[in-house]
Amino acid sequence: MGTTVEMRGDGLRSALWRPLNGFSRAYLLALAVAFLVGAWGLSCWGYQIVRGIGVAGIRRPTMWGFYLVNFVFWIGISHAGTLISAILRLTDAGWRKPVTRAAEAITVFALIIGAAFPIIHLGRPLLFFWLLPYPNSRLLWPNFRSPLMWDVTAISTYLTGSVIYLYLPMIPDLAELAQHATGWRLRLYRLLSLGWTGSDRQWHSLERAMKMMAGTILAVAVSVHTVVAWDFAMAVAPMWHSTIYGPYFVAGAIFSGIAALVVAMSVIRKVLHLENYLQPVHFENLGKLLLLMSLLWVYFTVNEHLTAWYGNSPAEMGVFGERVRGRFAPYFWFMVFCNFVLPFVLLSIRRLRSVATITIAGFAVLIGMWIERFLIILPTLSRPHLPAAAGFYTPTWVEISITASTFAAMVMFYLIFCKLFPIIAVWEYKHVSHG
Amino acid sequence: MEHRWGMAIDLDRCTGCEACVAACHAENNLPLSDPDQAEKGRAFHWIRVDRYYEGEFPDVRVKYMPVLCQHCEEAPCEPVCPVYATYHNPEGLNVQVYNRCVGTRYCGNNCPYSVRFFNWFEPEWPAPLELQHNPDVAVRPGGVMEKCTFCIQRIQRVKRDAKAESRPVADGEVQPACVQSCPAEAMTFGDLNDPESKVSRLAASGRATRLLEDLGAKPKVFYLQRAK
C-alpha cells in the first residue's frame, strides 16, 4: 500500500522511527493473541448484555465485584502517565524525555478501559447515557449528589485532558513524520500535525500550552482518583467510610502507575530494540520513585488498619478480621508481599537494582495493587452491618474473561500506537542530546 | 405532609413463622429464584426473618427479627443514586422508580440493612404462577433494583377510597401484606403523623428501638422488645 516512513536523515531519527515500519513475527503474534483474548472478552460482554448481569458472580450483599475492582485498577494505572510525566515535566527532570510519551499513552488507554467498566457493570448497560446531563423530554437531570456522577464528570474531564496532553507534544514529531511518509500515513500525519511548521512562534505557544496542561492535568489527576475513592468513602459501609481513602487512592494510583510504566517500558525496550534510548538510568530513577511510593503505600495501609483495629468497633472489626485473618487473609498477605516486601528488597538494595529486578518489582506491584482494590471492595461488602446479611463472592468465567480481555486490550492499543506513532518523542530527545 | 407512614414490629410476639415473607411474595410479584440462584444469595425477600441466637447450648434462646426496608428519613440509599431512581416521596416513603433505574447497585451497597434486591436476570415464574400476579404491582424488568414499598399500592387504594367517601383515612385501615398476614399480630402499620394512631403510641412506648440507630438514618420501623 506504500505506507512506509522513509528513514533518511540522522541516526537518532532512523532508530526511533524504525518501529513504525514492518511487522516482526513476535509483534504479529502478540497482536493476534491480544486480539483473540479481547474478542473473547467482547463476546462475553455481549452474552452478559443479552442474558443479564447475573451471569457475573455478584450477588447480595456483594453487589460490586470484579468489574469495579478493574475500574479502580485501570483508573489507577492511568495515573502512570499523565501524573508522572507532568511532575517530571514541571520539575524539568531531563531524564524524563524518552519516558513521557510511553507514560502518557498508558494514561489514555487505561482511562478508556477503566471508563468502560462502570458501564459493563450496569444492570441495564444500554441505558448508561442516563448518567449524562443531556436535555431530554422528561426534564430529568442526573443526581449530582451521587459520587457516581462525580465520577462521570471527573473521568470525562481527565480523559479529555490527557488526550490533549498526549497529543500536544506529538505535534512536532507528526509534522516531521509527514515530511517522510507516503500513502495514508502521509495524510494521517499531515492532518494531525495541524499545519505545524516549526516557527518560533509555534514553538513558543507549544511550550506554553504544555506547561499549562502539565499543571492542569496534575490537579485533575489528583481529583480523579480522590473522586474514585469517594465512591467508597461516601458510603456508610464499614471500613469504607474513612477520611484516608482520598490520599490513599491517589498514592496507590501513582504507585501502580509507575509500576505499569516500568513494565511497559521494559517490554517495548526489548520488542522494539530501544535499549540505547530507554537506558538503565531511566529504570533506576523510576525504580527509586517506585520504592518511595511503596513506602508511602505501607504507611497508608498501616494507618488504615491500625486505626480500625484500635477503634475496635464491631462492624469494622468484622471487615478487618476478614482481611487479615479470615477468608481474604491469603490475598491480604500476598498483597503485602507484592506491594512492599518484594519491591523493598529489590529496590532498596543497590546491588540488586537492575532493569530486570525493577521490572519484576513493577510486575509484582501491578498484581499487588489489583489485589488491593479487590480487598478494599469485597471484604466490606461481604460483611455488612447486619451479620445475618453476610455473604461471599466468587467470580464467574464471564467476569474473569472480561477482566483478561482488558489486559489484552491494553496490549493491543499499545502495539498499534507504537506502529502509528514514535513511542519516544524524537524532538524532545534531540533537545536532550543538544543540552 | 398529610401522612408519614411507619411500622412497629413486636419482637416478643414474633414466632418466626415467615407468613409475612410468603404474603409479601404473593402481593408484590416477587420473582422466584431457582435453588442455584438462591444458594448464591440471589433470592428475593422484601421482608426476611433474621435469626439471632442467645446463650450456650442447651440453654439457647432464638430471637426472630423481621427485616424489611426501614424507609429511613435520612436514607443512605437515596443520595448515591446517579439517576434519581430512588428518592423520598412526600409521605416519607423511600420509593424506587424501576423505569429510571440503570442498575449501578450503589443503593444496595449503601443500605446498612441490606434490604435491597437486584434483578440479576429477567424475572421468571414457573407455570402457572405467572397467572397469579397482582395487577396492582408492576413486574420489574431485569437489571433494576427493587425493595419493600410498604405496599404502596394498598396505601393508594385506601387513600382513594377515603377520598371518594370524603372521610380521613382511619387508623389501621392501611395494612401491608405482611401486617395483614401476621398470625401473632406482631406487626402494626399506620400514620406516625397522627399521635393517636396505634403505631405512634407503640413507637413512643419505652419498648421501642430502631435498628442500627447510631448510624443516624432515622428508620421508620420500630422494633418493640422487653427492656432488659
Side-chain angles (χ1 to χ4, degrees), chain A residues 177-302:
Chain A
L177 278 166
Q179 290 173 20
H180 296 267
T182 56
W184 61 264
R185 274 181 190 267
L186 173 64
R187 286 196 294 279
L188 176 74
Y189 294 143
R190 188 178 285 159
L191 182 76
L192 291 178
S193 62
L194 300 177
W196 176 266
T197 56
S199 69
D200 279 354
R201 219 184 104 244
Q202 287 183 339
W203 276 111
H204 187 64
S205 352
L206 181 70
E207 290 285 355
R208 262 203 10 205
M210 273 163 36
K211 272 257 153 61
M212 252 163 57
M213 278 311 294
T216 315
I217 210 80
L218 210 57
V220 174
V222 169
S223 73
V224 165
H225 224 67
T226 307
V227 164
V228 169
W230 286 346
D231 284 348
F232 307 102
M234 294 296 166
V236 289
M239 293 287 276
W240 276 6
H241 198 52
S242 142
T243 53
I244 204 174
Y245 265 33
Y248 188 23
F249 271 50
V250 174
I254 301 174
F255 188 31
S256 63
I258 298 171
L261 179 58
V262 167
V263 171
M265 269 170 52
S266 92
V267 172
I268 55 179
R269 180 175 191 258
K270 273 270 168 296
V271 175
L272 304 178
H273 304 291
L274 295 172
E275 283 91 345
N276 291 334
Y277 301 92
L278 298 172
Q279 290 165 353
V281 61
H282 301 124
F283 286 85
E284 177 87 14
N285 286 344
L286 285 174
K288 284 178 193 159
L289 270 181
L290 195 62
L291 178 62
L292 176 75
M293 295 314 295
S294 173
L295 294 173
L296 195 56
W297 178 85
V298 166
Y299 168 70
F300 274 123
T301 306
V302 169

Side-chain angles (χ1 to χ4, degrees), chain B residues 69-136:
Chain B
C69 175
Q70 311 280 306
H71 290 272
C72 310
E73 289 290 8
E74 304 279 345
C77 55
E78 286 169 6
V80 298
C81 175
V83 292
Y84 285 117
T86 174
Y87 80 107
H88 223 62
N89 91 350
E91 298 190 347
L93 294 181
N94 177 259
V95 208
Q96 182 75 16
V97 187
Y98 308 123
N99 286 341
R100 187 70 185 144
C101 176
V102 295
T104 68
R105 307 188 287 289
Y106 201 159
C107 55
N109 284 345
N110 210 23
C111 172
Y113 308 99
S114 305
V115 292
R116 291 182 152 264
F117 296 85
F118 192 70
N119 286 276
W120 303 100
F121 298 105
E122 290 295 328
E124 280 174 14
W125 288 268
L129 287 181
E130 81 280 5
L131 300 175
Q132 65 103 50
H133 282 163
N134 182 350
D136 289 340

Side-chain angles (χ1 to χ4, degrees), chain A residues 18 33 37 63 98 110 122 130 188 222 237 257 283 287 311 318 370 415 423 426 430:
Chain A
R18 188 175 25 75
V33 171
V37 177
M63 302 242 185
L122 285 184
W130 285 4
L188 176 74
V222 169
F283 286 85
W370 194 92
L415 286 173
I423 194 71
V426 179
K430 276 189 192 162

